[in-house]
């Protein structure tokens, strides 16, 4: 990373845990401190990658999407997002705050869909080279609590391919996040997302202060 490069910060967690809420709050806190940054998400983040997101999340014409195709589409979108948005912004010295990244692939396609972790690792190297997040904030809360938040938010609305999964699926997803956080404690910072939104924001800002990224 050059001296000018920005920080690559990713936010992870299961469905409904509060990522979207917290990314908006974090962005506000960075703006107040005059930190130049972009907020983005995966799958998606550029016009082309958002088209791929639409294919992955919504049942196009009701046709089934095999788990292997889902995995490849996640990495196809990521290749586009990295080349056209993430890397140029980091090079320009901006922070990139990304709602989900490759930890989600390990958690959802590896844990949830039970695809082989080694294949995910190979795709990660192929698509990202050595690019990894500088810091990942894993918002963790019990599955029931997170799904309750998601249900209340969605009430009456349509569900996507992941939202219709059962609690056991999200328990497997959470377990992979937990294992990855234990294996990489310097990169993955665990945030107790069962608390109030204000308390979660405070923990996130403390994690950045601890690294002297903000004061
Ligand atoms: N996916 C994948 O499989 N593989 C990959 O590699 C990648 C992604 C990158 C993207 O869906 C799906 O793609 C995702 C995994 C998969 N699916 N799932 N599950 P998405 O981006 O549309 O959805 P999401 O990432 O799951 O996020 P979400 O459902 O939008 O939830 P959230 O962003 O974590 O939560 P929220 O919208 O901020 O909050 C939910 C509700 O709770 C809302 O009403 C809030 O006001 C409320 N809330 C938030 N925080 C609190 C607290 N602290 N207390 C009380 N209430 C709260």
């Amino acid at each position: 990373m050059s001296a000018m490069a920005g920080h690559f910060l990713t936010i992870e967690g299961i469905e409904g845990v509060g990522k979207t809420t917290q990314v908006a709050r974090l962005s506000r806190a960075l703006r107040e401190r005059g930190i130049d940054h972009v907020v983005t998400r995966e799958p998606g983040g550029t016009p082309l990658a958002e088209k791929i997101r639409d294919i992955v999340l919504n049942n196009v014409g009701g046709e089934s999407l095999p788990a292997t195709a889902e995995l490849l589409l996640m990495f196809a979108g990521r290749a586009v997002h990295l080349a056209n948005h993430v890397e140029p912004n980091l090079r320009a010295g901006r922070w990139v705050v990304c709602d989900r990244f490759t930890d989600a692939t390990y958690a959802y396609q590896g844990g949830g869909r039970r695809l082989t972790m080694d294949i995910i690792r190979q795709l990660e190297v192929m698509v990202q080279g050595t690019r990894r997040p500088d810091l990942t904030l894993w918002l963790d809360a019990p599955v029931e609590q997170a799904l309750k938040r998601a249900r209340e938010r969605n009430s009456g609305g349509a569900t996507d391919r992941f939202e219709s999964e059962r609690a056991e699926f999200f328990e497997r997803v959470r377990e992979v996040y937990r294992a990855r956080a234990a294996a990489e404690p310097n990169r993955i910072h665990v945030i107790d997302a069962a608390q109030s939104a204000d308390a979660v924001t405070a923990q996130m800002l403390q994690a950045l202060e601890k690294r002297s990224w903000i004061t």
Side-chain angles (χ1 to χ4, degrees), residues 185-202:
N186 290 334
R187 175 177 69 85
I188 304 181
H189 187 104
V190 186
I191 303 284
D192 178 4
Q195 300 184 23
S196 71
D198 283 348
V200 174
T201 309

Side-chain angles (χ1 to χ4, degrees), residues 59-180:
N59 260 323
V60 180
E63 186 175 344
S64 79
L65 184 68
T68 48
E70 181 181 275
L71 172 67
L72 293 169
L73 286 168
M74 289 296 176
F75 273 108
R78 185 159 299 139
V80 171
H81 186 217
L82 278 169
N84 297 346
H85 194 56
V86 175
E87 297 293 353
N89 277 296
L90 290 174
R91 274 198 301 275
R94 280 180 212 106
W95 291 31
V96 175
V97 179
C98 191
D99 187 342
R100 294 189 180 284
F101 193 62
T102 307
D103 290 301
T105 314
Y106 283 99
Y108 280 80
Q109 280 64 53
R113 304 279 191 232
R114 297 193 164 108
L115 293 178
T116 314
M117 296 292 186
D118 248 2
I119 292 183
I120 299 176
R121 260 187 287 280
Q122 287 171 36
L123 290 166
E124 179 181 36
V125 171
M126 182 176 118
V127 167
Q128 297 170 218
T130 57
R131 172 62 69 198
R132 300 289 179 277
D134 299 311
L135 174 65
T136 296
L137 301 176
W138 171 41
L139 273 53
D140 183 42
V143 168
E144 263 321 309
Q145 187 179 11
L147 293 185
K148 183 165 178 282
R149 287 180 188 168
R151 267 195 309 274
E152 284 168 4
R153 182 205 52 199
N154 291 349
S155 63
T159 54
D160 69 31
R161 290 180 55 257
F162 291 98
E163 286 164 353
S164 51
E165 289 292 343
R166 302 154 78 91
E168 303 90 78
F169 176 91
F170 292 104
E171 293 289 1
R172 292 200 299 277
V173 170
R174 187 183 183 204
E175 205 39 59
V176 173
Y177 276 129
R178 184 178 289 132
R180 291 180 68 73

Side-chain angles (χ1 to χ4, degrees), residues 11 14-24 139 146 149 193 200 204:
I11 316 295
I14 57 170
E15 156 97 5
V17 79
K19 294 176 303 302
T20 309
T21 305
Q22 294 300 331
V23 164
L139 273 53
R149 287 180 188 168
V200 174
M204 292 171 66

